């Protein structure tokens, strides 16, 4: 399944049915009078959050959505059938914006939440509604109301307990695959991950949702590399796991580069609780690892851990630590 986190769609609620101008015409009934029924209400367009979805790809191929029109009223005071509401399923974490893609209309944060984005038109009135003591044979009736129509933007921001961030090829996808049942693409080249990947880690009978965010390079907040399109997914994460390749020549530079991109995108991202994990320690000797930790931990307020994705003990320690970050 392809990943899509932004899409523009057109929605049109159903029009209301027209009222009826009918009159009674039974052969043996005197003083027939009006018997026109009201029109039915038009169907509305309703967005509903679905937990099992993680992409907006369905709206890439179907961008026009219309609800059912209400039926017209009929004689014998029969009201027209109302149009069925149209339910559009969206992933949890979806935001609905107006056509300018800036004005927020609704934000789906809970499973099963519903938002009526376009209201169906009201049904018209039949001529029976206008009967009075002074007007016993009204021919007046009203047309059904016009259903609302809009063009809106849907933006998906991944909701996760932990977001894994870092430079390309730091081992983020390998970590996600090791601690969850996710199967992200893993290869020894930059930008292997092109879309955010979600996984669920289980530890101590509790579950943690983890998101693997594509690598951030210098200038990402301005669109360099995979750009700002994936920085927005970090906003929803409760805490961050900053993964750093210990074999990098300058760990401080690697760390600050990612932090600067987060800060340039949104100052709120810097305030999130952060766990720094130095990866690939199996590629250097123990003395080097100790020296790196001592040097790197200076003037850092975040916690620092080391790991290799090949050791189960390291994975268990990471899971336990992440659980403490979200509990």
């Amino acid at each position: 399944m392809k990943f899509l986190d932004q899409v523009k769609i057109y929605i049109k609620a159903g029009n209301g049915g027209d009222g009826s101008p009918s009159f009674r015409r039974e052969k043996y009934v005197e003083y027939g009078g009006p018997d026109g029924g009201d029109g039915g209400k038009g169907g509305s367009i309703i967005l509903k959050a679905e937990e099992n979805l993680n992409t907006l790809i369905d709206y890439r191929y179907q961008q026009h959505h219309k609800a059912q029109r209400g039926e017209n009223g009929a004689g014998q005071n029969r009201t027209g059938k109302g149009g069925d509401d149209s339910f559009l399923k969206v992933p949890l974490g979806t935001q609905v914006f107006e056509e300018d893609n800036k004005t927020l209309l609704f934000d789906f944060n809970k499973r099963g939440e519903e938002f009526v984005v376009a209201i169906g038109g009201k049904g018209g009135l039949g001529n029976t509604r206008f009967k009075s003591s002074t007007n016993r044979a009204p021919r007046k009736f009203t047309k059904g109301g016009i259903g609302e129509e809009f063009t809106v933007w849907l933006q998906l921001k991944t909701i996760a307990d932990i977001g894994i961030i870092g430079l390309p090829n730091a081992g983020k996808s390998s970590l996600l695959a090791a601690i969850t049942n996710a199967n992200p693409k893993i290869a020894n080249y930059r930008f292997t991950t092109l879309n955010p990947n979600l996984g669920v880690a289980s530890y101590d009978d509790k579950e943690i949702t983890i998101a693997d965010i594509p690598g951030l390079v210098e200038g990402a907040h301005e669109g360099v590399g995979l750009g700002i399109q994936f920085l927005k997914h970090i906003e929803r994460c409760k805490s961050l796991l900053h993964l750093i390749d210990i074999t990098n020549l300058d760990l401080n530079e690697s760390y600050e580069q990612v932090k600067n991109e987060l800060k340039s995108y949104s100052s709120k991202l810097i305030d999130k609780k952060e766990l720094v994990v130095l990866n690939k320690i199996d590629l250097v000797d123990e003395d080097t690892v100790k020296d790196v930790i001592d040097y790197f931990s200076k003037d850092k307020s975040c916690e620092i851990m080391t790991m290799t994705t090949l050791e189960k003990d390291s994975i268990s320690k990471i899971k336990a630590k992440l659980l403490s970050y979200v509990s």
Side-chain angles (χ1 to χ4, degrees), residues 39 130 184 234 283 303 321 327:
F130 300 97
I234 305 174
L283 301 180
E303 288 190 77
K321 180 60 67 174
S327 58

Side-chain angles (χ1 to χ4, degrees), residues 20-24 30-36 38 77 125-141:
S20 171
S22 174
F23 285 89
R24 294 175 60 186
E30 58 182 346
Y31 308 118
D35 68 346
D38 299 337
N77 291 314
L125 301 178
N127 61 348
T128 304
R129 296 276 191 173
F130 300 97
K131 184 175 68 172
S132 67
S133 59
T134 57
N135 185 6
R136 299 191 177 186
R139 298 184 179 275
K140 182 179 180 181
F141 69 98

Side-chain angles (χ1 to χ4, degrees), residues 252-266:
N252 272 317
E253 182 181 355
S254 301
Y255 175 80
E256 294 299 335
Q257 180 177 321
V258 174
K259 295 289 285 187
N260 287 336
E261 293 307 317
L262 298 181
K263 185 177 181 180
S264 298
Y265 178 77
S266 173

